[in-house]
Amino acid sequence: MSTHDSKQTQRTVKLGSTGPEVFPLGLGCMGMSGMYGATDDAESIRTIQTAIDRGVTLIDTGDFYGMGHNEMLVGKAIAGRREKVQLSVKFGALRGPDGSWGGMDTRPAAVKNFVAYSLKRLGVDVIDIYRPARLDPNVPIEDTIGAIAELVKAGYVRHIGLSEVGVETIRRAHRVHPIVDLQIEYSLATRGPEAEIFPALAELGISATLYGVFSRGLLTGSKPKGQGDYRAYLPRFTGSNREKNEDVVGELQRFARERNMSPGQLAVSWVLARQPTLVPVVGAKTVAQLEDSLGALPRTLSKEDLAALDSIVNISGERYGAEQMKHLDSERHSHA
């Protein structure tokens, strides 16, 4: 690594007014546990360790990714490197042994149960940022955050985050205990949070970790591969949306080529340019994908570039199917 590169990696971003300093790009590990088709544990571990060696500090996982597989994988990868990383863990989603989904459970007793298992699988004694993966419609957010706040007091959790919730829920949670960041989908293709959510976060001194930066590979031209790839069911990858979106992706690829960037670097650079105080989380499954994303950090897009991209990118289709969209608290608009 050249000295130029190592200087580049020194910049950090603070997560909210009370959270840790993190490297400006996080690594999301969901794809390493089979959500997008076949994976290779050895390559996944290499990818996490390379990320740490390159300065990445925020590693994001969920206890339900591969029913615990992902946490055990992350645990192996960070053994001996624990002090170099901040672990962000989502919990609360219920799974069946056949991989089926069973809704959410964020009751206080469940929170304590989930964290006990996560600590064990990760091989750590404290989780840096702990967050419910979605809003549980049966449990007031105050109860869930109160339970995590007790874990903070007891030393099992350092900071509290949220995921995919709307403005009212964010405010209610933040009144119980400081929230350091909201995890939410944001990309060239998904700009919903700009309207109400980002302004509310800025007002409250809360950061955001932004996933889906490549819109599940849509923006980089990746296509669903076989049965195990759940993108085959997502509206943007199917039917007439798919054809329209392929045209947009072609334009994006041309735009990236003209600037000597890969489509992935363009997607990351766009997020960094639009939201310089927030942290994109890239779902790299291989060292090559990780290196590609890191290559976005020294590159900056001009105001003209951003304006040009606004005119090119008009993605068809919602980010999830209608049933899932209905249950997303972050998609409910406040009437404040």
Side-chain angles (χ1 to χ4, degrees):
M1 191 162 85
S2 71
T3 50
H4 166 76
D5 280 344
S6 58
K7 281 207 182 66
Q8 171 58 37
T9 60
Q10 295 315 301
R11 185 173 85 83
T12 59
V13 181
K14 192 165 163 56
L15 284 190
S17 45
T18 59
E21 297 274 344
V22 301
F23 186 80
L25 211 59
L27 177 64
C29 300
M30 181 177 88
M32 297 173 180
S33 293
M35 294 290 279
Y36 301 122
T39 52
D40 169 357
D41 284 1
E43 179 64 16
S44 298
I45 288 171
R46 252 196 313 278
T47 304
I48 296 169
Q49 292 179 340
T50 303
I52 297 167
D53 293 344
R54 295 291 307 273
V56 173
T57 58
L58 188 73
I59 308 285
D60 185 77
T61 182
D63 63 8
F64 49 91
Y65 294 167
M67 288 73 84
H69 171 269
N70 205 252
E71 287 184 321
M72 292 191 284
L73 189 74
V74 169
K76 274 189 200 138
I78 66 167
R81 296 168 160 87
R82 171 65 181 108
E83 70 296 338
K84 293 182 170 167
V85 297
Q86 290 110 355
L87 291 171
S88 156
V89 178
K90 290 184 288 301
F91 72 91
L94 303 173
R95 304 291 301 265
D98 58 352
S100 59
W101 295 90
M104 287 295 296
D105 186 358
T106 68
R107 293 167 304 138
V111 174
K112 293 190 167 125
N113 176 73
F114 284 131
V115 83
Y117 283 78
S118 284
L119 290 165
K120 187 64 76 180
R121 284 189 291 251
L122 289 160
V124 299
D125 46 25
V126 61
I127 288 167
D128 298 283
I129 307 162
Y130 201 51
R131 67 181 87 238
R134 294 285 186 273
L135 186 66
D136 180 344
N138 304 312
V139 180
I141 191 68
E142 290 83 355
D143 293 3
T144 305
I145 300 302
I148 310 175
E150 286 176 22
L151 295 171
V152 173
K153 271 204 193 76
Y156 297 114
V157 169
R158 289 198 173 105
H159 304 283
I160 304 179
L162 293 167
S163 174
E164 284 292 348
V165 292
V167 172
E168 191 202 338
T169 305
I170 295 165
R171 291 187 189 283
R172 286 170 55 191
H174 194 61
R175 281 199 281 272
V176 176
H177 186 279
I179 300 297
V180 296
D181 76 297
L182 168 72
Q183 196 161 101
I184 194 147
E185 184 168 353
Y186 182 70
S187 71
L188 265 163
T190 304
R191 297 182 61 174
E194 290 175 352
E196 296 180 353
I197 289 176
F198 288 164
L201 295 177
E203 173 207 325
L204 296 168
I206 302 173
S207 186
T209 42
L210 308 168
Y211 76 92
V213 173
F214 310 122
S215 195
R216 298 179 171 72
L218 177 73
L219 296 175
T220 57
S222 164
K223 294 185 174 64
K225 301 170 190 67
Q227 288 311 153
D229 194 324
Y230 96 115
R231 296 176 299 172
Y233 308 99
L234 296 176
R236 290 174 177 175
F237 289 92
T238 45
S240 61
N241 288 337
R242 190 186 69 199
E243 288 158 37
K244 286 186 203 140
N245 292 339
E246 279 175 5
D247 291 343
V248 174
V249 169
E251 291 279 317
L252 274 178
Q253 288 172 331
R254 193 159 51 248
F255 188 94
R257 259 199 315 278
E258 285 164 6
R259 282 153 190 79
N260 224 1
M261 299 166 94
S262 70
Q265 288 168 348
L266 179 62
V268 174
S269 293
W270 180 87
V271 172
L272 290 165
R274 278 269 171 225
Q275 310 298 338
T277 60
L278 307 181
V279 180
V281 173
V282 297
K285 288 202 297 191
T286 64
V287 172
Q289 289 171 339
L290 170 76
E291 294 288 5
D292 184 62
S293 293
L294 287 170
L297 287 171
R299 297 157 181 272
T300 45
L301 294 174
S302 66
K303 284 203 170 68
E304 294 72 30
D305 288 338
L306 293 174
L309 286 167
D310 281 350
S311 64
I312 293 172
V313 179
N314 182 16
I315 293 292
S316 303
E318 295 281 14
R319 57 202 183 104
Y320 291 110
E323 196 50 32
Q324 270 185 289
M325 288 298 280
K326 213 167 60 194
H327 291 126
L328 276 181
D329 188 61
S330 52
E331 294 288 339
R332 292 191 184 102
H333 298 293
S334 67
H335 304 289

Coordinates of all heavy atoms in Angstrom, one line a residue, residues 208-291:
A208 N -26.3 8.2 10.0 CA -26.9 7.1 9.3 C -25.8 6.2 8.7 O -24.8 6.7 8.2 CB -27.9 7.6 8.2
T209 N -26.1 4.9 8.7 CA -25.2 4.0 7.9 C -26.1 3.5 6.8 O -27.3 3.1 7.0 CB -24.8 2.8 8.8 OG1 -25.8 2.3 9.6 CG2 -23.6 3.2 9.7
L210 N -25.6 3.6 5.6 CA -26.4 3.5 4.4 C -26.1 2.2 3.6 O -25.0 2.0 3.2 CB -26.1 4.7 3.5 CG -26.2 6.1 4.2 CD1 -25.7 7.2 3.3 CD2 -27.7 6.4 4.6
Y211 N -27.1 1.4 3.6 CA -26.9 0.1 2.9 C -27.6 0.1 1.6 O -28.3 1.1 1.2 CB -27.3 -1.1 3.8 CG -28.8 -1.3 3.8 CD1 -29.5 -2.2 2.9 CD2 -29.6 -0.6 4.8 CE1 -30.8 -2.3 3.0 CE2 -31.0 -0.8 4.9 CZ -31.6 -1.7 4.0 OH -33.0 -1.8 4.0
G212 N -27.4 -1.0 0.8 CA -28.1 -1.0 -0.5 C -27.5 0.0 -1.5 O -28.2 0.5 -2.4
V213 N -26.3 0.4 -1.3 CA -25.6 1.5 -2.1 C -25.6 1.1 -3.6 O -25.7 1.9 -4.5 CB -24.2 1.7 -1.6 CG1 -23.4 2.6 -2.5 CG2 -24.2 2.2 -0.2
F214 N -25.5 -0.2 -3.9 CA -25.5 -0.7 -5.3 C -26.9 -1.2 -5.7 O -27.1 -1.8 -6.7 CB -24.6 -1.9 -5.5 CG -23.2 -1.6 -5.0 CD1 -22.6 -2.5 -4.0 CD2 -22.4 -0.6 -5.4 CE1 -21.3 -2.2 -3.5 CE2 -21.2 -0.3 -4.9 CZ -20.6 -1.2 -3.9
S215 N -27.9 -0.9 -4.8 CA -29.3 -1.3 -5.0 C -29.3 -2.8 -5.3 O -29.8 -3.3 -6.3 CB -30.0 -0.5 -6.1 OG -31.3 -0.7 -6.1
R216 N -28.6 -3.6 -4.4 CA -28.5 -5.1 -4.6 C -27.9 -5.5 -5.9 O -28.3 -6.5 -6.5 CB -29.9 -5.7 -4.4 CG -30.5 -5.5 -3.0 CD -31.8 -6.0 -2.8 NE -32.1 -5.9 -1.4 CZ -32.4 -4.7 -0.8 NH1 -32.5 -3.6 -1.5 NH2 -32.7 -4.6 0.5
G217 N -26.9 -4.7 -6.3 CA -26.2 -5.1 -7.6 C -26.9 -4.5 -8.8 O -26.3 -4.6 -9.9
L218 N -28.1 -4.0 -8.7 CA -28.8 -3.4 -9.9 C -27.9 -2.4 -10.6 O -27.7 -2.4 -11.8 CB -30.1 -2.8 -9.4 CG -30.9 -2.1 -10.5 CD1 -31.6 -3.2 -11.5 CD2 -32.0 -1.2 -10.0
L219 N -27.3 -1.5 -9.8 CA -26.6 -0.4 -10.3 C -25.2 -0.8 -11.0 O -24.6 0.0 -11.7 CB -26.3 0.7 -9.3 CG -27.6 1.4 -8.7 CD1 -27.3 2.3 -7.6 CD2 -28.4 2.1 -9.8
T220 N -24.8 -2.0 -10.6 CA -23.5 -2.4 -11.2 C -23.7 -3.5 -12.3 O -22.8 -4.1 -12.8 CB -22.6 -3.0 -10.1 OG1 -23.3 -4.1 -9.5 CG2 -22.2 -2.0 -9.1
G221 N -25.0 -3.7 -12.6 CA -25.3 -4.6 -13.8 C -25.4 -6.0 -13.4 O -25.5 -6.9 -14.2
S222 N -25.4 -6.3 -12.0 CA -25.5 -7.7 -11.6 C -26.9 -8.2 -11.7 O -27.8 -7.4 -11.5 CB -25.0 -7.7 -10.1 OG -25.4 -9.0 -9.5
K223 N -27.1 -9.5 -12.1 CA -28.4 -10.0 -12.3 C -28.6 -11.2 -11.3 O -27.7 -11.9 -11.0 CB -28.6 -10.5 -13.7 CG -28.6 -9.3 -14.7 CD -28.9 -9.8 -16.1 CE -29.0 -8.7 -17.1 NZ -27.7 -7.9 -17.3
P224 N -29.9 -11.5 -10.9 CA -30.2 -12.6 -10.1 C -29.6 -13.9 -10.7 O -29.7 -14.1 -11.9 CB -31.7 -12.7 -10.0 CG -32.2 -11.3 -10.3 CD -31.1 -10.7 -11.3
K225 N -29.0 -14.7 -9.8 CA -28.4 -16.0 -10.2 C -29.1 -17.2 -9.5 O -28.9 -17.4 -8.4 CB -26.9 -16.0 -9.9 CG -26.1 -14.9 -10.4 CD -24.7 -14.9 -9.8 CE -23.9 -13.6 -10.2 NZ -24.5 -12.4 -9.6
G226 N -30.0 -17.8 -10.2 CA -30.6 -19.1 -9.7 C -31.6 -19.0 -8.6 O -31.9 -17.9 -8.1
Q227 N -32.0 -20.1 -8.1 CA -33.1 -20.2 -7.1 C -32.8 -19.5 -5.8 O -33.7 -18.9 -5.2 CB -33.3 -21.7 -6.7 CG -34.0 -22.6 -7.7 CD -35.3 -22.0 -8.3 OE1 -35.6 -22.4 -9.4 NE2 -36.1 -21.2 -7.8
G228 N -31.6 -19.6 -5.3 CA -31.3 -19.1 -3.9 C -31.2 -17.6 -3.9 O -31.0 -17.0 -2.8
D229 N -31.3 -16.9 -5.0 CA -31.0 -15.5 -5.1 C -32.4 -14.8 -5.0 O -33.2 -14.7 -5.9 CB -30.3 -15.1 -6.4 CG -29.8 -13.7 -6.4 OD1 -30.4 -12.8 -5.8 OD2 -28.7 -13.5 -7.1
Y230 N -32.6 -14.1 -3.8 CA -33.9 -13.6 -3.6 C -34.2 -12.3 -4.4 O -35.4 -11.9 -4.5 CB -34.2 -13.4 -2.1 CG -33.9 -12.0 -1.5 CD1 -35.0 -11.3 -0.9 CD2 -32.7 -11.5 -1.4 CE1 -34.8 -10.1 -0.4 CE2 -32.4 -10.2 -0.9 CZ -33.5 -9.5 -0.3 OH -33.3 -8.3 0.2
R231 N -33.2 -11.8 -5.1 CA -33.5 -10.6 -6.0 C -34.5 -11.0 -7.1 O -35.1 -10.1 -7.7 CB -32.2 -10.1 -6.6 CG -31.3 -9.6 -5.5 CD -30.0 -9.2 -6.1 NE -29.2 -10.3 -6.7 CZ -28.1 -10.1 -7.5 NH1 -27.6 -8.9 -7.7 NH2 -27.5 -11.2 -8.0
A232 N -34.5 -12.3 -7.4 CA -35.4 -12.7 -8.5 C -36.9 -12.4 -8.2 O -37.7 -12.4 -9.1 CB -35.3 -14.2 -8.7
Y233 N -37.2 -12.1 -7.0 CA -38.6 -11.7 -6.6 C -38.7 -10.2 -6.4 O -39.8 -9.8 -6.0 CB -38.9 -12.5 -5.3 CG -38.7 -14.0 -5.4 CD1 -37.5 -14.5 -4.8 CD2 -39.5 -14.8 -6.1 CE1 -37.2 -15.9 -4.9 CE2 -39.3 -16.2 -6.2 CZ -38.1 -16.7 -5.6 OH -37.9 -18.0 -5.7
L234 N -37.7 -9.5 -6.5 CA -37.8 -8.0 -6.2 C -38.3 -7.3 -7.5 O -37.8 -7.5 -8.6 CB -36.5 -7.5 -5.7 CG -36.0 -8.0 -4.4 CD1 -34.6 -7.5 -4.1 CD2 -36.9 -7.8 -3.3
P235 N -39.2 -6.3 -7.2 CA -39.8 -5.6 -8.4 C -38.8 -5.0 -9.4 O -39.1 -5.0 -10.6 CB -40.6 -4.5 -7.7 CG -40.9 -5.0 -6.3 CD -39.7 -5.8 -5.9
R236 N -37.7 -4.5 -8.9 CA -36.7 -3.8 -9.8 C -36.0 -4.8 -10.8 O -35.5 -4.4 -11.8 CB -35.7 -3.0 -9.0 CG -36.3 -1.8 -8.3 CD -35.3 -1.2 -7.4 NE -35.9 0.0 -6.9 CZ -35.3 0.8 -6.0 NH1 -34.1 0.5 -5.5 NH2 -35.9 1.9 -5.5
F237 N -36.1 -6.1 -10.4 CA -35.3 -7.1 -11.2 C -36.3 -7.9 -12.1 O -35.9 -8.8 -12.7 CB -34.6 -8.0 -10.3 CG -33.4 -7.4 -9.6 CD1 -33.5 -6.8 -8.4 CD2 -32.1 -7.4 -10.3 CE1 -32.4 -6.2 -7.8 CE2 -31.0 -6.8 -9.7 CZ -31.1 -6.2 -8.4
T238 N -37.6 -7.5 -12.1 CA -38.6 -8.4 -12.8 C -39.4 -7.6 -13.8 O -39.6 -6.4 -13.7 CB -39.5 -9.1 -11.8 OG1 -39.9 -8.1 -10.8 CG2 -38.8 -10.2 -11.0
G239 N -39.9 -8.3 -14.8 CA -40.9 -7.8 -15.7 C -40.4 -6.6 -16.5 O -39.3 -6.4 -16.8
S240 N -41.4 -5.6 -16.7 CA -41.1 -4.4 -17.5 C -40.1 -3.5 -16.8 O -39.3 -2.8 -17.4 CB -42.3 -3.7 -17.9 OG -43.0 -3.3 -16.7
N241 N -40.1 -3.5 -15.4 CA -39.2 -2.7 -14.7 C -37.7 -3.1 -15.1 O -36.9 -2.3 -15.2 CB -39.3 -2.9 -13.2 CG -40.6 -2.3 -12.6 OD1 -41.1 -1.4 -13.2 ND2 -41.0 -2.8 -11.5
R242 N -37.5 -4.4 -15.2 CA -36.2 -4.9 -15.5 C -35.6 -4.3 -16.7 O -34.5 -3.8 -16.8 CB -36.1 -6.4 -15.5 CG -34.7 -7.0 -15.6 CD -34.7 -8.5 -15.8 NE -35.1 -8.8 -17.1 CZ -35.6 -10.0 -17.5 NH1 -35.6 -11.0 -16.6 NH2 -35.9 -10.2 -18.7
E243 N -36.5 -4.3 -17.8 CA -36.0 -3.8 -19.1 C -35.7 -2.3 -19.0 O -34.7 -1.8 -19.5 CB -37.1 -4.0 -20.2 CG -37.1 -5.5 -20.5 CD -38.5 -5.9 -21.2 OE1 -39.1 -5.1 -21.9 OE2 -38.9 -7.0 -20.9
K244 N -36.6 -1.5 -18.4 CA -36.4 -0.1 -18.2 C -35.1 0.2 -17.4 O -34.3 1.0 -17.8 CB -37.5 0.6 -17.5 CG -38.8 0.7 -18.3 CD -39.9 1.5 -17.6 CE -41.2 1.2 -18.1 NZ -42.2 1.1 -17.0
N245 N -34.9 -0.6 -16.4 CA -33.8 -0.4 -15.5 C -32.5 -0.7 -16.2 O -31.4 -0.1 -15.9 CB -33.9 -1.1 -14.2 CG -35.0 -0.5 -13.3 OD1 -35.4 0.6 -13.5 ND2 -35.6 -1.3 -12.4
E246 N -32.5 -1.7 -17.0 CA -31.3 -2.1 -17.8 C -30.8 -1.0 -18.7 O -29.6 -0.8 -18.8 CB -31.5 -3.4 -18.6 CG -31.4 -4.7 -17.6 CD -31.7 -6.0 -18.3 OE1 -31.9 -6.0 -19.6 OE2 -31.7 -7.0 -17.6
D247 N -31.7 -0.2 -19.2 CA -31.4 0.9 -20.0 C -30.6 2.0 -19.2 O -29.6 2.5 -19.6 CB -32.6 1.6 -20.7 CG -33.2 0.7 -21.8 OD1 -32.5 -0.3 -22.2 OD2 -34.4 0.9 -22.1
V248 N -31.2 2.3 -18.0 CA -30.6 3.2 -17.1 C -29.2 2.8 -16.7 O -28.2 3.6 -16.6 CB -31.5 3.4 -15.8 CG1 -30.8 4.4 -14.8 CG2 -32.8 4.0 -16.2
V249 N -29.1 1.5 -16.4 CA -27.8 0.9 -15.9 C -26.8 1.1 -17.0 O -25.6 1.4 -16.8 CB -27.9 -0.5 -15.5 CG1 -26.6 -1.2 -15.3 CG2 -28.8 -0.6 -14.2
G250 N -27.2 0.9 -18.3 CA -26.3 1.1 -19.4 C -25.7 2.5 -19.5 O -24.5 2.7 -19.7
E251 N -26.6 3.5 -19.2 CA -26.2 4.9 -19.2 C -25.2 5.1 -18.1 O -24.2 5.8 -18.2 CB -27.4 5.8 -18.9 CG -28.4 5.8 -20.1 CD -28.0 6.8 -21.1 OE1 -27.5 7.9 -20.8 OE2 -28.1 6.5 -22.3
L252 N -25.5 4.5 -16.9 CA -24.6 4.7 -15.8 C -23.2 4.1 -16.1 O -22.2 4.7 -15.7 CB -25.2 4.0 -14.5 CG -26.2 4.7 -13.7 CD1 -26.7 3.8 -12.6 CD2 -25.6 6.0 -13.1
Q253 N -23.2 3.0 -16.7 CA -21.9 2.3 -17.0 C -21.1 3.2 -18.0 O -19.9 3.4 -17.8 CB -22.2 0.9 -17.6 CG -22.6 0.0 -16.5 CD -23.1 -1.4 -17.0 OE1 -23.5 -1.5 -18.2 NE2 -23.0 -2.4 -16.2
R254 N -21.8 3.8 -18.9 CA -21.1 4.7 -19.8 C -20.5 5.9 -19.1 O -19.4 6.3 -19.2 CB -22.1 5.2 -20.9 CG -21.4 5.8 -22.1 CD -22.2 5.8 -23.4 NE -23.6 6.3 -23.2 CZ -24.7 5.5 -23.3 NH1 -24.5 4.2 -23.6 NH2 -25.9 6.0 -23.2
F255 N -21.4 6.5 -18.2 CA -21.0 7.7 -17.4 C -19.7 7.3 -16.5 O -18.8 8.1 -16.4 CB -22.2 8.0 -16.4 CG -22.0 9.3 -15.7 CD1 -22.5 10.5 -16.2 CD2 -21.4 9.4 -14.5 CE1 -22.4 11.7 -15.5 CE2 -21.2 10.5 -13.7 CZ -21.7 11.7 -14.3
A256 N -19.7 6.1 -15.9 CA -18.6 5.7 -15.1 C -17.3 5.5 -15.9 O -16.3 6.0 -15.6 CB -18.9 4.4 -14.4
R257 N -17.5 4.9 -17.1 CA -16.3 4.7 -18.0 C -15.7 6.0 -18.4 O -14.5 6.1 -18.4 CB -16.8 3.9 -19.3 CG -16.5 2.4 -19.2 CD -16.5 1.8 -20.6 NE -17.7 2.2 -21.5 CZ -18.9 1.6 -21.4 NH1 -19.1 0.7 -20.5 NH2 -19.9 2.1 -22.2
E258 N -16.5 7.0 -18.7 CA -16.0 8.3 -19.1 C -15.1 8.9 -18.0 O -14.3 9.7 -18.3 CB -17.1 9.2 -19.5 CG -17.8 8.9 -20.9 CD -19.1 9.6 -21.1 OE1 -19.5 10.4 -20.2 OE2 -19.8 9.3 -22.1
R259 N -15.4 8.6 -16.8 CA -14.7 9.1 -15.7 C -13.6 8.2 -15.1 O -13.1 8.4 -14.0 CB -15.7 9.6 -14.6 CG -16.3 10.9 -14.9 CD -17.7 11.1 -14.3 NE -18.4 12.2 -14.9 CZ -18.9 12.2 -16.1 NH1 -19.0 11.1 -16.8 NH2 -19.5 13.3 -16.6
N260 N -13.4 7.1 -15.9 CA -12.4 6.1 -15.5 C -12.7 5.5 -14.1 O -11.9 5.2 -13.3 CB -11.1 6.8 -15.4 CG -10.0 6.0 -16.0 OD1 -10.3 4.9 -16.5 ND2 -8.8 6.4 -16.0
M261 N -14.0 5.2 -13.9 CA -14.4 4.6 -12.6 C -15.2 3.3 -13.0 O -15.8 3.2 -14.1 CB -15.4 5.5 -11.9 CG -14.8 6.9 -11.4 SD -16.2 8.0 -10.9 CE -16.2 7.7 -9.2
S262 N -15.3 2.4 -12.0 CA -16.2 1.3 -12.2 C -17.6 1.7 -11.8 O -17.7 2.7 -11.1 CB -15.7 0.1 -11.3 OG -16.0 0.4 -10.0
P263 N -18.6 1.0 -12.2 CA -20.0 1.4 -11.8 C -20.2 1.3 -10.3 O -20.9 2.2 -9.7 CB -20.9 0.3 -12.5 CG -20.1 -0.2 -13.6 CD -18.7 -0.1 -13.2
G264 N -19.5 0.4 -9.6 CA -19.5 0.3 -8.2 C -18.9 1.6 -7.5 O -19.5 2.1 -6.6
Q265 N -17.8 2.0 -8.1 CA -17.1 3.2 -7.5 C -18.0 4.4 -7.7 O -18.1 5.3 -6.9 CB -15.8 3.4 -8.2 CG -14.7 2.4 -7.7 CD -13.5 2.4 -8.6 OE1 -13.4 3.0 -9.6 NE2 -12.5 1.7 -8.1
L266 N -18.7 4.5 -8.9 CA -19.6 5.6 -9.1 C -20.7 5.6 -8.1 O -21.1 6.7 -7.5 CB -20.2 5.5 -10.5 CG -21.2 6.5 -10.9 CD1 -20.5 7.9 -10.9 CD2 -21.8 6.3 -12.3
A267 N -21.3 4.4 -7.8 CA -22.4 4.3 -6.8 C -21.9 4.8 -5.4 O -22.7 5.5 -4.8 CB -22.9 2.9 -6.8
V268 N -20.7 4.4 -5.0 CA -20.2 4.8 -3.7 C -19.9 6.3 -3.7 O -20.2 7.0 -2.7 CB -19.0 3.9 -3.3 CG1 -18.4 4.4 -2.0 CG2 -19.4 2.4 -3.2
S269 N -19.2 6.7 -4.7 CA -18.8 8.2 -4.8 C -20.0 9.1 -4.7 O -20.0 10.1 -4.1 CB -18.0 8.4 -6.1 OG -16.8 7.8 -6.0
W270 N -21.1 8.6 -5.4 CA -22.3 9.4 -5.4 C -22.9 9.6 -4.0 O -23.2 10.7 -3.5 CB -23.4 8.8 -6.3 CG -24.7 9.6 -6.3 CD1 -24.9 10.6 -7.2 CD2 -25.8 9.4 -5.5 NE1 -26.2 11.1 -6.9 CE2 -26.7 10.4 -5.9 CE3 -26.1 8.6 -4.5 CZ2 -28.0 10.5 -5.2 CZ3 -27.3 8.7 -3.8 CH2 -28.3 9.7 -4.2
V271 N -22.9 8.5 -3.2 CA -23.4 8.5 -1.8 C -22.5 9.4 -1.0 O -23.0 10.3 -0.2 CB -23.5 7.1 -1.2 CG1 -23.8 7.2 0.3 CG2 -24.6 6.3 -1.9
L272 N -21.2 9.3 -1.1 CA -20.3 10.1 -0.4 C -20.4 11.6 -0.7 O -20.3 12.5 0.2 CB -18.8 9.6 -0.6 CG -18.5 8.3 0.0 CD1 -17.1 7.8 -0.6 CD2 -18.3 8.3 1.5
A273 N -20.7 11.9 -2.0 CA -20.8 13.3 -2.4 C -22.1 13.9 -1.9 O -22.2 15.0 -1.5 CB -20.7 13.4 -3.9
R274 N -23.2 13.1 -1.9 CA -24.5 13.6 -1.5 C -24.6 13.7 0.0 O -25.3 14.6 0.5 CB -25.6 12.6 -2.0 CG -26.0 12.8 -3.4 CD -27.2 13.8 -3.5 NE -27.4 14.1 -4.9 CZ -27.6 15.3 -5.3 NH1 -27.6 16.3 -4.5 NH2 -27.8 15.5 -6.6
Q275 N -24.0 12.7 0.7 CA -24.2 12.7 2.2 C -22.8 12.5 2.8 O -22.5 11.5 3.4 CB -25.1 11.5 2.6 CG -26.4 11.4 1.8 CD -27.3 12.6 2.1 OE1 -27.2 13.3 3.1 NE2 -28.2 12.8 1.2
P276 N -22.0 13.6 2.8 CA -20.6 13.4 3.2 C -20.4 13.1 4.7 O -19.4 12.6 5.1 CB -19.9 14.8 2.9 CG -21.1 15.7 2.6 CD -22.2 14.9 2.2
T277 N -21.4 13.3 5.5 CA -21.3 13.0 6.9 C -21.8 11.7 7.3 O -21.8 11.3 8.5 CB -22.0 14.1 7.8 OG1 -23.4 14.0 7.4 CG2 -21.5 15.5 7.5
L278 N -22.4 10.9 6.3 CA -23.0 9.6 6.6 C -22.1 8.5 6.1 O -21.1 8.8 5.3 CB -24.4 9.5 6.0 CG -25.3 10.7 6.4 CD1 -26.7 10.5 5.8 CD2 -25.5 10.8 7.9
V279 N -22.3 7.3 6.4 CA -21.4 6.2 6.1 C -22.0 5.1 5.3 O -22.9 4.4 5.7 CB -20.9 5.5 7.5 CG1 -19.9 4.4 7.2 CG2 -20.3 6.6 8.4
P280 N -21.6 5.0 4.0 CA -22.1 3.9 3.2 C -21.5 2.6 3.7 O -20.4 2.5 4.1 CB -21.6 4.2 1.8 CG -20.8 5.5 1.8 CD -20.7 5.9 3.3
V281 N -22.4 1.6 3.7 CA -22.0 0.2 4.1 C -22.0 -0.6 2.8 O -23.1 -0.8 2.2 CB -22.9 -0.3 5.1 CG1 -22.6 -1.8 5.4 CG2 -22.9 0.5 6.4
V282 N -20.9 -1.1 2.4 CA -20.9 -1.9 1.1 C -20.9 -3.4 1.4 O -20.2 -3.9 2.2 CB -19.7 -1.5 0.2 CG1 -19.7 -0.1 -0.2 CG2 -18.3 -1.8 0.9
G283 N -21.8 -4.1 0.6 CA -21.9 -5.5 0.8 C -21.0 -6.3 -0.1 O -21.4 -6.9 -1.0
A284 N -19.7 -6.2 0.2 CA -18.7 -7.0 -0.6 C -18.6 -8.4 -0.1 O -18.5 -8.6 1.1 CB -17.3 -6.3 -0.5
K285 N -18.6 -9.3 -1.1 CA -18.5 -10.8 -0.7 C -17.1 -11.3 -1.0 O -16.7 -12.3 -0.6 CB -19.4 -11.6 -1.5 CG -20.9 -11.5 -1.1 CD -21.7 -12.7 -1.6 CE -21.7 -12.9 -3.1 NZ -22.7 -13.9 -3.5
T286 N -16.3 -10.5 -1.8 CA -15.0 -10.9 -2.2 C -14.0 -9.8 -2.0 O -14.4 -8.6 -2.0 CB -14.9 -11.3 -3.7 OG1 -15.2 -10.1 -4.5 CG2 -16.0 -12.4 -4.0
V287 N -12.7 -10.1 -2.0 CA -11.7 -9.1 -1.8 C -11.7 -8.2 -3.0 O -11.6 -7.0 -2.9 CB -10.3 -9.8 -1.7 CG1 -9.2 -8.8 -1.8 CG2 -10.2 -10.6 -0.4
A288 N -12.0 -8.7 -4.2 CA -12.0 -7.9 -5.4 C -13.1 -6.8 -5.3 O -12.9 -5.6 -5.7 CB -12.2 -8.7 -6.7
Q289 N -14.3 -7.2 -4.9 CA -15.4 -6.3 -4.7 C -15.1 -5.2 -3.7 O -15.4 -4.0 -3.8 CB -16.7 -7.0 -4.3 CG -17.3 -7.9 -5.4 CD -18.4 -8.7 -4.9 OE1 -18.6 -9.0 -3.7 NE2 -19.3 -9.2 -5.8
L290 N -14.4 -5.6 -2.6 CA -14.0 -4.7 -1.5 C -13.0 -3.7 -2.1 O -13.2 -2.5 -1.9 CB -13.4 -5.5 -0.4 CG -12.7 -4.6 0.7 CD1 -13.8 -3.9 1.6 CD2 -11.8 -5.4 1.5
E291 N -12.0 -4.1 -2.7 CA -11.0 -3.2 -3.3 C -11.6 -2.2 -4.3 O -11.2 -1.1 -4.3 CB -9.9 -4.0 -4.0 CG -9.0 -4.9 -3.1 CD -8.1 -4.1 -2.1 OE1 -8.1 -2.9 -2.1 OE2 -7.3 -4.8 -1.4

